[in-house]
Amino acid sequence: MNRNYSQDLVVRPRRTRTDAWTRRLVAENRLSVDDLIWPVFLQEENGSSEVASMPGVKRYGPDCLVDAIGEAIDLDIPAIALFPYNNPATKTPDCREAYNPDNLICSATRAIRKHYKDVALIGDVALDPYNSDGHDGLLRNGIILNDETVEILCKQALAQVEAGCDYVGPSDMMDGRIGAIRDTLDEAGHTYAKIMSYTAKYASAFYGPFRDAVGAKGALKGDKKTYQMDPANSEEALRLVELDMQQGADMVMVKPGLAYLDIIQRIKSTFGVPTMAYQVSGEYAMIKAASANGWLDHDAVMMETLMAFKRAGTDAVLTYFALDAARILK
């Protein structure tokens, strides 16, 4: 018997895909400018300099930083994360520049605040840009010192908040630092300063261009596997989220992003806490390189990856694509 299969179909999922307005009506996830955090690199010298391994990314000096921030604000990007590129002379084994109230992050924060009040500023709390050894913690006899590092991180976080940062982002992965930073800020009267904890930061090979951008790559002695997470682990990430939230974290970060979408999804579905993702330098550089060679459509792939973060459960994405994506979304 001949049968017209198409006439027997009652349920046709393609009906809701046939036109743009219906696809918009039934979209399960949405990406907006409100989902973007723009990372900005700072330098001491006036002018700007290109980061060779991150096409399109610059370090900004004091004379052009405020204008760059203004562009992001004009695009309605709600938050800026600040990262310093320190001159080698400021890098020492004791990392004292990290809590200097006139260091790059603190100085930049005060300069931005003179012009802009309604943008969130996030200070990076870690020692690698200040450490002559290139590590996120103090190094002695080949060992990263946890508790001694936490003492410096607390001073660093306090200096950033007192300069005007709304958030501190501890990205160091030392044990106990969230509780210690929370206590330090509260005792100083900064009860409403927020902590964006890099809770699940993996010992990843995707960080290379970032280390170029902050000048930490050449100084690094060894690797960071004794404090950053093993890429093989996911249950551990859940334990760390629980610990950080108990200690006073307001939101958690997963870093890197694309290779760890499963971690994002598990954290969000398990705890329902504000969950951020960092689309790291290596992820950015791969897309830039492939698009420069004509292998990928830059804007289409950029937006698809950002939507992947939203689909996995992120509340916001820290991405070097923030300006490009905001222009499209606007």
Side-chain angles (χ1 to χ4, degrees), residues 12 31 62-63 71 78 82 88 96 109 116 118 129 151 183 201 210 222 243 246-247 280 290 299 317 326-327:
R12 288 182 178 269
L31 179 68
D63 63 328
E71 182 180 2
L82 302 174
R96 58 184 176 272
T109 298
Y116 303 112
D118 297 328
E151 292 181 13
D183 287 346
K201 182 178 180 180
F210 175 89
L243 283 172
Q246 289 173 351
Q247 293 177 33
V280 299
D299 289 354
V317 184
R327 292 186 190 105

Side-chain angles (χ1 to χ4, degrees), residues 150 174-184 186 195 197 239-250:
V150 170
M174 297 297 119
D175 293 341
R177 91 273 202 212
I178 299 302
I181 290 171
R182 184 73 270 163
D183 287 346
T184 298
D186 288 353
I195 298 177
S197 173
R239 296 195 295 271
L240 293 178
V241 169
E242 187 170 15
L243 283 172
D244 280 2
M245 297 306 293
Q246 289 173 351
Q247 293 177 33
D250 299 288

Side-chain angles (χ1 to χ4, degrees), residues 87-260:
N87 289 330
T90 66
K91 299 183 180 186
T92 59
D94 63 3
C95 305
R96 58 184 176 272
E97 182 68 12
Y99 52 90
N100 176 359
D102 295 317
N103 67 23
L104 274 175
I105 287 183
C106 294
S107 298
T109 298
R110 287 193 294 270
I112 294 167
R113 281 288 174 244
K114 288 180 181 179
H115 295 82
Y116 303 112
K117 308 296 184 185
D118 297 328
V119 64
L121 298 180
I122 305 166
D124 180 53
V125 176
L127 302 188
D128 49 330
Y130 311 92
N131 196 340
S132 54
D133 295 312
H135 276 284
D136 295 34
L138 300 178
L139 183 69
R140 184 183 301 159
N141 299 323
I143 303 296
I144 300 298
L145 305 178
N146 191 93
D147 296 359
E148 293 87 340
T149 296
V150 170
E151 292 181 13
I152 296 179
L153 297 174
C154 290
K155 295 178 183 178
Q156 182 183 21
L158 181 59
Q160 291 176 0
V161 169
E162 292 186 336
C165 282
D166 306 277
Y167 298 72
V168 291
S171 61
D172 54 284
M173 292 298 287
M174 297 297 119
D175 293 341
R177 91 273 202 212
I178 299 302
I181 290 171
R182 184 73 270 163
D183 287 346
T184 298
L185 295 178
D186 288 353
E187 289 169 4
H190 301 294
T191 306
Y192 291 100
K194 290 164 278 293
I195 298 177
M196 178 186 291
S197 173
Y198 288 59
T199 297
K201 182 178 180 180
Y202 285 84
S204 172
F206 284 97
Y207 301 148
F210 175 89
R211 290 173 185 160
D212 288 339
V214 298
K217 189 171 186 178
L220 183 62
K221 297 179 179 179
D223 57 45
K224 301 189 177 187
K225 294 180 180 179
T226 66
Y227 49 98
Q228 294 179 354
M229 283 183 61
D230 185 342
N233 293 354
S234 60
E235 296 292 339
E236 181 184 6
L238 301 184
R239 296 195 295 271
L240 293 178
V241 169
E242 187 170 15
L243 283 172
D244 280 2
M245 297 306 293
Q246 289 173 351
Q247 293 177 33
D250 299 288
M251 52 202 72
V252 297
M253 175 79 79
V254 177
K255 181 181 180 182
L258 289 176
Y260 298 87

Side-chain angles (χ1 to χ4, degrees), residues 7-22:
Q7 291 181 351
D8 291 340
L9 279 177
V10 176
V11 178
R12 288 182 178 269
R14 285 188 57 194
R15 288 193 190 105
T16 57
R17 306 176 203 148
T18 54
D19 49 73
W21 51 87
T22 305

